[in-house]
């Protein structure tokens, strides 16, 4: 996935919004650190002032990381997989799992199962806790058993059901 691109105008607007938000926080943090009033923040050695700004950006960076983790957990709570989270962030599935280990509740995901009956056979659909994707296991009306191979997992329950349904249709018995 390509990293999201923003236009020059969007970047300029974002920079302005971030700097507008940063200035009051930087002033308050500097005042607490030096004991000087906020309005005197800029009346100091330029190195001290710019280091105050850098310190404030670190606080903002930590807050952005916290809010990002909340967004990842929210997406996971709605059913996003680590593969999808990674794609949104421009990293691998494993990278997303490492970055946001709590984004997907594996215990809740592992408990999700559904059953379908079609063409005289049945299949169980379940969420794979390791990938966050969906898998299926089925038994056709002719007694054939099959499951999604170890490398296959599907992004949605509906996609897994479609593959299971194709298997069940293929292994239906002709009772005419």
């Amino acid at each position: 996935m390509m990293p999201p691109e923003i236009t020059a105008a969007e970047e300029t607007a974002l920079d302005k919004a971030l700097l507008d938000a940063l200035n009051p926080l930087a002033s308050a943090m500097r005042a607490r650190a030096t004991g000087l009033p906020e309005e005197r923040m800029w009346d100091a050695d330029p190195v001290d002032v710019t280091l105050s700004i850098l310190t404030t950006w670190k606080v903002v960076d930590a807050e952005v990381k916290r809010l990002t983790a909340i967004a990842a957990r929210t997406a996971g709570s709605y059913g996003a997989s680590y593969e999808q989270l990674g794609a949104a962030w421009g990293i691998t599935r494993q990278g997303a799992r490492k970055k946001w280990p709590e984004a997907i509740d594996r215990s809740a995901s592992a408990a999700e199962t559904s059953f379908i009956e079609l063409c005289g056979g049945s299949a169980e659909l379940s969420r794979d806790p390791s990938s966050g994707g969906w898998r299926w296991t089925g038994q056709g009306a002719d007694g054939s058993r099959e499951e999604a191979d170890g490398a296959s997992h599907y992004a949605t329950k509906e996609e897994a059901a479609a593959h299971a349904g194709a298997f069940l249709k293929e292994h239906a018995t002709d009772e005419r």
Side-chain angles (χ1 to χ4, degrees):
M1 179 173 161
M2 295 291 297
E5 303 267 333
I6 63 173
T7 66
E10 291 167 334
E11 184 176 19
T12 299
L14 178 61
D15 287 352
K16 181 181 180 335
L18 289 172
L19 290 169
D20 287 348
L22 183 77
N23 192 35
L25 179 61
S27 295
M29 288 178 61
R30 178 147 173 81
R32 278 194 306 276
T34 64
L36 296 173
E38 290 183 32
E39 58 274 1
R40 293 201 39 225
M41 177 195 166
W42 302 108
D43 300 337
D45 179 19
V47 171
D48 292 338
V49 171
T50 53
L51 289 173
S52 298
I53 299 294
L54 183 61
T55 301
T56 307
W57 278 121
K58 179 166 180 32
V59 170
V60 171
D61 183 54
E63 184 64 7
V64 167
K65 287 176 181 165
R66 186 184 72 80
L67 293 172
T68 301
I70 290 171
R73 282 193 309 274
T74 301
S77 75
Y78 283 113
S81 67
Y82 277 115
E83 187 172 351
Q84 292 170 308
L85 294 174
W89 199 253
I91 57 177
T92 66
R93 172 179 55 87
Q94 295 87 349
R97 182 175 289 133
K98 184 177 179 181
K99 186 170 192 61
W100 304 297
E102 304 299 319
I104 295 175
D105 181 2
R106 290 190 184 119
S107 62
S109 296
E112 293 183 54
T113 57
S114 296
F115 297 91
I116 59 172
E117 293 184 15
L118 185 66
C119 302
S122 63
E124 178 182 319
L125 310 172
S126 60
R127 196 180 281 270
D128 179 5
S130 66
S131 69
W134 287 86
R135 303 186 43 72
W136 64 270
T137 302
Q139 180 170 345
D142 64 0
S144 298
R145 297 183 68 78
E146 191 168 326
E147 64 184 67
D149 65 43
S152 294
H153 60 275
Y154 305 98
T156 65
K157 179 169 57 172
E158 293 76 15
E159 186 180 3
H163 286 270
F167 164 78
L168 295 174
K169 183 178 178 187
E170 185 178 316
H171 293 279
T173 57
D174 188 14
E175 297 180 6
R176 290 182 220 171

